[in-house]
Amino acid sequence: MTLQDHRVVPKLRTPHEVLSGTDMNGAWATRHSFARSFLRRAAARRWSVAKTRLDFDAEGCGTAVYSVDAEGRKLSFIAFSRTLDESERTDRVIADAWDVTAALIEGDLNPDREADLRRNVPIQERGRVDPDTIILTRANRSARFFDYVSDCLAAGDQPDVDFIGPSPYLIRSTAFYGNGKFGLKEFADFPPDHPLAVPYRSQMLTAWLLRELSMDMVEHVAREKAFQRGTTAASLNAEWSKYLGLGNATGLGMVPFVINHPGYLDAWCRLREVPLAASLGQDYHPDHPDLARVAELLRQADRYLAEKHALETAPFLRAEAIRPQLQQLLAELQTYRSTGSEPARVLDRLHDVATALSPEARGLFASIVIELRSDFDDAAEALLTVPDSTWADTTMHCWELKQLLDTNYRWVRAYDFTDPERASYYWFSSEANEEPRRALRTGRRPGTVEHCTDIARRISALSEDLERFPAHCSISAFLLAHPAHRFAAARVLQTRPYYYGELRDNLIDAEFLPLSTQRFQLATYGMNNFSPQSTDWLRVTLFSGAPRAADINNGNDADDWLFPTAPKESAR
């Protein structure tokens, strides 16, 4: 079976189902999320990570270097640490200073190169690096959690789960720059056999090493505090080492990105939909071991959600609202396992039940079902390399373009753009920091450049003029007469190869919720603990429950951290 061709997969969900904001509201990480697939490969191929240097003062300020041997490729992660006043810390991209700045590089870290990195990495966007520097990143300490955990360890104790709460991390990352920015290496320059040639792998490696750094820093600070107090510091125990993740916050910039890359959107959807359809299309005997695995994962999900009752999730469902829905699914599954006699498509039926319950229940159950299909791992990795698509077929006739509109963009007809509510917002780049923003159209200043995120409106206008143009004429002739539709025509042809290439949403609509698209993307990266802070941005956690460097060095990826739960001795 192939991940590329939707026609060979039974009961693949339709674009209308998959690409709606409602469905994306329930997205959860899966075994094919980038964080999971990265660590799975690192363990399988026996990557090794060494702490080359941890040169910190009593407050954890200084330099850290980690060396990585990734399938014979030598990589280094160098980080520069300082301490900021809490008033200087921000989740925003526009900050000028951070507690930690770091770079992932390829090749030797000699003194001259380190000196150059030391000048440029701490100033981030204002600096420039050599083309063998792969990723620039930065992060801030959590003033509440970092100091608290170092105090606990200095006293010889482990942290208390109730104090840490539902989002466990020590530092929060705010950006991962790559692919040619500021002189960085372009990802296209990686040869196909390079371990970082898979999209997003270098960012995931960098984020994971940031998490590793955060725990090494907090243990160092704890030892310094203990020395000053005349006590003996503890190290994080095995449970806490895996439970602590990396904090992150993200805003509106992710939405235009996925709009501008329909091939990525299609690939990310297939990562979920193809293995899901393959499992839902199978008959399962009541004693099939996969059903026992699903039952156990439903229990794990329930335990995970029980610990998240304090997490603010609106407008998504709260954890306590999802738990009874999972318990209903588990009860129906257990009934079939104990009373069924003939093979049946029980997971398909339960997926239908979950869909009727809520987007969150459906998305979570889908992630559990996808967990059954390890046979898709290699195909999923290959799927992420997306070739550029072009629209250069200018000889196409107008009637052919109309057919494509009817096949792929019929959903646009649901919007009446004579209603001002359907075009309430516009998207633009902030003059101060070049970040994507959206604002009410009524307050738009003359001359402000609007991003081409208004796909539905543009396609609607294209359809109207195309209906009045001779069907036998070429697209070139049509665009000569209607040059304003060049973008819309290009969009129709650009998305033609993709089954899941276009969001079924109007991004300028008064009712559009950016959080839906953001959640889908973040779940694809492998993040969890979604906590919206407004309609436009949210906080998340990455790598909570993931293996540490020592685990990977031993070839143990512990690939069972879909629903990470807190250390038991202090759990609720």
Side-chain angles (χ1 to χ4, degrees):
M1 187 177 295
T2 175
L3 288 174
Q4 298 289 351
D5 192 346
H6 65 273
R7 292 167 297 183
V8 302
V9 182
K11 205 179 179 181
L12 197 63
R13 293 199 306 153
T14 67
H16 180 75
E17 295 171 292
V18 173
L19 295 163
S20 70
T22 299
D23 192 73
M24 289 182 172
N25 283 343
W28 294 80
T30 75
R31 70 175 291 108
H32 301 309
S33 294
F34 303 154
R36 290 274 303 279
S37 62
F38 147 62
L39 283 175
R40 193 161 51 240
R41 172 158 176 165
R45 304 290 182 91
R46 300 305 296 264
W47 293 19
S48 64
V49 180
K51 300 173 188 177
T52 306
R53 189 194 323 165
L54 295 177
D55 184 12
F56 298 131
D57 65 14
E59 294 184 345
C61 301
T63 304
V65 179
Y66 295 78
S67 300
V68 181
D69 185 330
E71 302 165 38
R73 305 278 183 169
K74 304 299 182 183
L75 308 168
S76 293
F77 174 79
I78 182 168
F80 307 104
S81 173
R82 54 178 290 190
T83 55
L84 299 178
D85 291 331
E86 182 59 20
S87 61
E88 297 180 87
R89 296 187 177 115
T90 175
D91 289 331
R92 300 282 300 281
V93 173
I94 60 174
D96 293 320
W98 306 268
D99 288 311
V100 176
T101 55
L104 179 70
I105 69 171
E106 189 165 29
D108 294 330
L109 181 63
N110 55 47
D112 288 342
R113 191 174 186 192
E114 180 174 332
D116 187 64
L117 291 167
R118 190 177 297 276
R119 286 191 297 269
N120 287 282
V121 170
I123 59 177
Q124 295 282 295
E125 295 97 325
R126 290 174 287 130
R128 292 297 180 269
V129 294
D130 64 70
D132 282 326
T133 302
I134 304 169
I135 297 292
L136 279 179
T137 189
R138 66 278 191 103
N140 287 321
R141 297 185 188 189
S142 165
R144 183 184 180 207
F145 296 154
F146 191 97
D147 292 342
Y148 166 73
V149 172
S150 63
D151 283 338
C152 288
L153 296 178
D157 299 325
Q158 296 297 310
D160 181 73
V161 168
D162 289 331
F163 185 92
I164 295 296
S167 298
Y169 61 87
L170 298 170
I171 65 175
R172 299 186 309 273
S173 59
T174 62
F176 294 94
Y177 291 125
N179 203 23
K181 276 193 172 184
F182 319 124
L184 291 161
K185 189 180 190 72
E186 294 197 19
F187 295 153
D189 291 341
F190 284 126
D193 62 343
H194 196 289
L196 300 184
V198 177
Y200 288 90
R201 184 140 297 159
S202 53
Q203 290 97 324
M204 290 297 113
L205 171 59
T206 304
W208 181 67
L209 290 170
L210 263 181
R211 174 206 185 219
E212 192 77 12
L213 170 68
S214 73
M215 286 185 265
D216 287 335
M217 280 200 313
V218 82
E219 289 180 339
H220 172 88
V221 172
R223 288 192 295 270
E224 292 292 332
K225 288 180 177 179
F227 177 77
Q228 294 170 8
R229 300 170 186 174
T231 60
T232 301
S235 298
L236 290 164
N237 65 23
E239 288 185 289
W240 271 108
S241 285
K242 290 187 176 180
Y243 185 58
L244 288 169
L246 178 71
N248 187 266
T250 192
L252 287 172
M254 298 184 72
V255 179
F257 175 85
V258 78
I259 292 296
N260 293 332
H261 296 85
Y264 286 3
L265 177 60
D266 179 72
W268 297 354
C269 290
R270 290 179 189 278
L271 289 178
R272 301 168 177 275
E273 298 306 320
V274 175
L276 173 64
S279 290
L280 296 183
Q282 286 193 16
D283 290 324
Y284 291 92
H285 195 273
D287 61 359
H288 195 290
D290 279 359
L291 299 188
R293 175 69 172 148
V294 170
E296 177 53 32
L297 286 171
L298 282 168
R299 296 188 191 97
Q300 287 184 24
D302 185 63
R303 291 192 291 269
Y304 166 83
L305 291 173
E307 296 177 359
K308 305 300 177 183
H309 63 84
L311 189 67
E312 294 296 331
T313 61
F316 309 132
L317 278 186
R318 294 183 66 91
E320 59 264 34
I322 306 172
R323 291 185 66 199
Q325 298 174 351
L326 297 190
Q327 291 160 8
Q328 177 182 336
L329 295 173
L330 177 60
E332 294 195 28
L333 174 60
Q334 297 296 63
T335 297
Y336 173 74
R337 293 181 68 205
S338 60
T339 63
S341 58
E342 298 295 330
R345 294 191 175 181
V346 59
L347 295 185
D348 191 17
R349 180 172 59 80
L350 288 174
H351 183 263
D352 288 342
V353 173
T355 301
L357 290 171
S358 70
E360 287 84 355
R362 192 218 66 80
L364 197 151
F365 185 73
S367 290
I368 289 174
V369 173
I370 292 168
E371 202 72 18
L372 305 176
R373 300 304 299 256
S374 61
D375 54 323
F376 282 95
D377 291 348
D378 290 341
E381 184 170 300
L383 180 68
L384 292 176
T385 301
V386 179
D388 290 334
S389 59
T390 61
W391 74 285
D393 188 6
T394 55
T395 62
M396 177 182 284
H397 293 96
C398 288
W399 65 265
E400 295 175 282
L401 183 60
K402 286 162 65 173
Q403 281 188 341
L404 286 175
L405 286 169
D406 189 60
T407 301
N408 298 331
Y409 286 91
R410 186 176 298 182
W411 57 273
V412 170
R413 299 172 187 170
Y415 298 104
D416 177 10
F417 286 101
T418 63
D419 181 353
E421 290 288 292
R422 305 289 73 82
S424 292
Y425 286 94
Y426 74 102
W427 292 68
F428 64 101
S429 289
S430 166
E431 184 176 338
N433 50 56
E434 299 184 358
E435 287 185 285
R437 293 282 183 268
R438 68 169 187 159
L440 289 171
R441 191 171 297 278
T442 53
R444 181 183 178 188
R445 292 183 299 171
T448 303
V449 177
E450 182 173 353
H451 288 182
C452 296
T453 51
D454 55 336
I455 303 294
R457 184 175 64 166
R458 289 172 179 264
I459 295 295
S460 178
L462 167 66
S463 298
E464 290 181 9
D465 283 341
L466 197 60
E467 284 295 327
R468 295 189 289 266
F469 204 79
H472 65 278
C473 289
S474 68
I475 296 176
S476 297
F478 172 75
L479 293 178
L480 284 171
H482 299 280
H485 294 314
R486 187 180 187 279
F487 174 85
R491 183 69 180 191
V492 175
L493 296 175
Q494 181 190 21
T495 58
R496 178 172 49 169
Y498 306 122
Y499 190 54
Y500 295 120
E502 194 78 86
L503 294 179
R504 295 314 195 248
D505 252 322
N506 173 25
L507 274 67
I508 61 174
D509 200 286
E511 298 179 0
F512 175 69
L513 183 67
L515 292 172
S516 304
T517 308
Q518 293 167 331
R519 175 164 178 160
F520 168 81
Q521 292 172 270
L522 293 170
T524 302
Y525 296 163
M527 297 183 182
N528 57 17
N529 299 331
F530 305 102
S531 184
Q533 305 299 298
S534 74
T535 60
D536 293 353
W537 72 284
L538 71 166
R539 289 177 174 156
V540 288
T541 313
L542 181 61
F543 288 121
S544 176
R548 294 282 306 274
D551 299 307
I552 298 301
N553 289 343
N554 294 328
N556 174 25
D557 70 338
D559 193 22
D560 58 355
W561 46 287
L562 181 60
F563 304 116
T565 51
K568 294 180 177 58
E569 66 268 19
S570 56
R572 294 183 181 89

